[in-house]
Amino acid sequence: MASIFTKIVNGEIPCYKIAESEECFAFLDINPLARGHALVIPKKETDYIFDLDDDLYHTLFDFAKKVGKATESVIPCKRIGMIVFGLDVPHAHIHLIPINKPSEMSFSSPRVELTPKEFMDIAGEISRAFKKMYPGG
Ligand code: 5GP
Protein backbone atom coordinates (compact mmCIF):
# COMPACT_ATOMS: atom_id res chain seq x y z
CA MET A 1 0.00 0.00 0.00
CA ALA A 2 1.19 3.51 -0.81
CA SER A 3 2.60 5.50 2.11
CA ILE A 4 0.83 8.63 3.36
CA PHE A 5 3.64 10.63 1.81
CA THR A 6 3.22 8.98 -1.60
CA LYS A 7 -0.48 9.88 -1.38
CA ILE A 8 0.53 13.47 -0.62
CA VAL A 9 2.88 13.55 -3.61
CA ASN A 10 0.09 12.16 -5.82
CA GLY A 11 -2.38 14.75 -4.53
CA GLU A 12 -4.64 12.10 -2.96
CA ILE A 13 -4.11 13.65 0.50
CA PRO A 14 -3.86 17.43 0.91
CA CYS A 15 -0.75 19.12 2.25
CA TYR A 16 0.74 22.55 2.69
CA LYS A 17 3.18 22.26 -0.17
CA ILE A 18 6.40 24.24 -0.26
CA ALA A 19 8.23 23.04 -3.37
CA GLU A 20 8.85 20.12 -5.66
CA SER A 21 11.41 19.02 -8.20
CA GLU A 22 11.39 16.10 -10.56
CA GLU A 23 12.48 13.73 -7.79
CA CYS A 24 11.75 15.48 -4.49
CA PHE A 25 8.87 17.11 -2.64
CA ALA A 26 8.68 19.44 0.39
CA PHE A 27 5.69 20.27 2.57
CA LEU A 28 4.91 21.42 6.10
CA ASP A 29 4.77 18.84 8.88
CA ILE A 30 1.15 18.74 10.05
CA ASN A 31 2.26 18.42 13.68
CA PRO A 32 5.13 20.92 13.81
CA LEU A 33 7.76 21.42 16.48
CA ALA A 34 8.16 25.02 15.27
CA ARG A 35 6.65 27.38 12.71
CA GLY A 36 8.03 26.34 9.34
CA HIS A 37 8.83 22.72 10.32
CA ALA A 38 9.00 21.00 6.93
CA LEU A 39 9.45 17.51 5.59
CA VAL A 40 11.53 16.83 2.51
CA ILE A 41 11.01 13.50 0.79
CA PRO A 42 12.00 11.62 -2.33
CA LYS A 43 8.98 11.08 -4.56
CA LYS A 44 10.11 7.51 -5.03
CA GLU A 45 8.80 5.64 -2.01
CA THR A 46 11.67 4.17 -0.05
CA ASP A 47 11.40 3.39 3.65
CA TYR A 48 15.00 3.80 4.79
CA ILE A 49 17.00 6.82 3.66
CA PHE A 50 20.23 4.80 3.40
CA ASP A 51 18.52 2.52 0.87
CA LEU A 52 18.23 5.41 -1.62
CA ASP A 53 20.69 5.12 -4.47
CA ASP A 54 23.57 7.54 -4.15
CA ASP A 55 22.32 9.94 -6.84
CA LEU A 56 18.87 10.29 -5.29
CA TYR A 57 20.36 10.52 -1.80
CA HIS A 58 22.52 13.48 -2.85
CA THR A 59 19.68 15.04 -4.85
CA LEU A 60 17.44 14.83 -1.77
CA PHE A 61 19.98 16.55 0.47
CA ASP A 62 20.69 19.24 -2.17
CA PHE A 63 16.96 19.88 -2.40
CA ALA A 64 16.64 19.99 1.41
CA LYS A 65 19.42 22.58 1.54
CA LYS A 66 17.46 24.81 -0.85
CA VAL A 67 14.26 24.39 1.15
CA GLY A 68 16.20 25.15 4.35
CA LYS A 69 17.77 28.30 2.86
CA ALA A 70 14.37 29.48 1.64
CA THR A 71 12.87 28.76 5.07
CA GLU A 72 15.53 30.67 7.01
CA SER A 73 15.01 33.65 4.71
CA VAL A 74 11.40 34.07 5.87
CA ILE A 75 11.08 32.39 9.28
CA PRO A 76 12.96 34.20 12.07
CA CYS A 77 15.29 31.63 13.65
CA LYS A 78 18.90 31.07 14.65
CA ARG A 79 19.27 28.28 12.13
CA ILE A 80 17.52 25.35 10.52
CA GLY A 81 17.97 22.03 12.28
CA MET A 82 17.94 18.90 10.17
CA ILE A 83 16.99 15.46 11.43
CA VAL A 84 16.50 12.13 9.73
CA PHE A 85 14.59 10.26 12.33
CA GLY A 86 11.32 8.56 12.74
CA LEU A 87 9.85 5.16 12.62
CA ASP A 88 6.23 6.16 12.01
CA VAL A 89 5.93 6.78 8.28
CA PRO A 90 7.76 4.18 6.15
CA HIS A 91 8.86 6.73 3.57
CA ALA A 92 12.26 8.40 3.97
CA HIS A 93 11.97 12.01 5.11
CA ILE A 94 14.21 14.80 6.31
CA HIS A 95 12.81 17.08 9.00
CA LEU A 96 13.83 20.75 8.60
CA ILE A 97 13.07 22.65 11.80
CA PRO A 98 13.64 26.39 12.33
CA ILE A 99 15.20 26.56 15.79
CA ASN A 100 15.94 29.17 18.39
CA LYS A 101 16.54 26.79 21.28
CA PRO A 102 17.55 23.12 21.60
CA SER A 103 14.12 21.94 22.81
CA GLU A 104 12.69 22.81 19.40
CA MET A 105 14.62 19.84 18.02
CA SER A 106 13.16 17.46 20.59
CA PHE A 107 10.30 15.27 19.47
CA SER A 108 9.15 15.01 23.08
CA SER A 109 8.50 18.78 23.16
CA PRO A 110 4.96 20.06 22.79
CA ARG A 111 3.96 20.70 19.20
CA VAL A 112 3.01 24.14 17.89
CA GLU A 113 -0.67 24.56 17.12
CA LEU A 114 -1.41 26.44 13.92
CA THR A 115 -4.64 27.26 12.14
CA PRO A 116 -5.12 26.18 8.51
CA LYS A 117 -4.63 29.82 7.51
CA GLU A 118 -1.34 30.01 9.41
CA PHE A 119 -0.15 26.79 7.73
CA MET A 120 -1.17 28.18 4.35
CA ASP A 121 0.55 31.53 4.96
CA ILE A 122 3.80 29.88 6.14
CA ALA A 123 3.88 27.44 3.22
CA GLY A 124 3.15 30.31 0.83
CA GLU A 125 5.96 32.46 2.25
CA ILE A 126 8.55 29.68 2.07
CA SER A 127 7.34 28.63 -1.36
CA ARG A 128 7.62 32.17 -2.73
CA ALA A 129 11.12 32.51 -1.26
CA PHE A 130 12.12 29.16 -2.78
CA LYS A 131 10.89 30.19 -6.24
CA LYS A 132 12.69 33.53 -5.99
CA MET A 133 15.97 31.99 -4.83
CA TYR A 134 15.86 28.92 -7.08
CA PRO A 135 13.83 29.81 -10.19
CA GLY A 136 15.05 26.64 -11.90
CA GLY A 137 13.74 24.45 -9.06
P1 5GP B 1 8.37 10.22 11.94
O1 5GP B 1 8.30 9.03 11.00
O2 5GP B 1 9.44 11.19 11.56
O3 5GP B 1 8.37 9.83 13.38
O4 5GP B 1 6.98 10.98 11.80
C1 5GP B 1 6.51 11.43 10.59
C2 5GP B 1 6.30 12.92 10.61
O5 5GP B 1 5.35 13.17 9.59
C3 5GP B 1 5.70 13.46 11.91
O6 5GP B 1 6.42 14.61 12.31
C4 5GP B 1 4.27 13.77 11.57
O7 5GP B 1 3.78 14.92 12.22
C5 5GP B 1 4.31 13.97 10.06
N1 5GP B 1 3.12 13.52 9.40
C6 5GP B 1 2.50 12.33 9.59
N2 5GP B 1 1.41 12.24 8.80
C7 5GP B 1 1.35 13.41 8.10
C8 5GP B 1 0.44 13.90 7.12
O8 5GP B 1 -0.53 13.25 6.73
N3 5GP B 1 0.70 15.14 6.62
C9 5GP B 1 1.76 15.88 7.02
N4 5GP B 1 1.93 17.08 6.46
N5 5GP B 1 2.64 15.43 7.94
C10 5GP B 1 2.44 14.22 8.48
Side-chain angles (χ1 to χ4, degrees):
M1 200 176 83
S3 75
I4 291 176
F5 292 168
T6 292
K7 289 182 180 170
I8 285 176
V9 169
N10 292 339
E12 295 161 32
I13 291 179
C15 74
Y16 298 101
K17 180 178 160 183
I18 293 171
E20 74 176 305
S21 66
E22 200 182 326
E23 294 179 291
C24 304
F25 196 92
F27 55 104
L28 291 179
D29 194 304
I30 204 67
N31 204 9
L33 281 164
R35 285 180 81 253
H37 178 172
L39 300 172
V40 180
I41 63 170
K43 288 182 176 174
K44 182 178 175 209
E45 186 174 325
T46 304
D47 181 2
Y48 185 38
I49 201 155
F50 290 159
D51 286 337
L52 297 175
D53 69 53
D54 287 352
D55 284 347
L56 182 53
Y57 179 85
H58 293 130
T59 298
L60 182 68
F61 275 82
D62 287 347
F63 188 73
K65 179 180 177 183
K66 292 177 182 174
V67 175
K69 299 290 280 179
T71 302
E72 71 183 13
S73 78
V74 293
I75 303 287
C77 61
K78 284 195 175 150
R79 59 183 55 186
I80 304 292
M82 184 186 238
I83 301 184
V84 178
F85 159 84
L87 299 167
D88 291 335
V89 179
H91 188 141
H93 50 283
I94 299 172
H95 291 265
L96 295 178
I97 307 167
I99 48 170
N100 289 294
K101 49 185 194 289
S103 61
E104 284 165 330
M105 286 294 276
S106 166
F107 284 83
S108 50
S109 289
R111 304 298 177 115
V112 174
E113 292 203 10
L114 299 170
T115 64
K117 182 178 180 319
E118 286 173 314
F119 272 113
M120 222 158 17
D121 289 349
I122 294 166
E125 272 187 80
I126 303 174
S127 176
R128 279 190 294 280
F130 183 95
K131 284 187 185 129
K132 206 166 152 188
M133 294 166 76
Y134 307 104

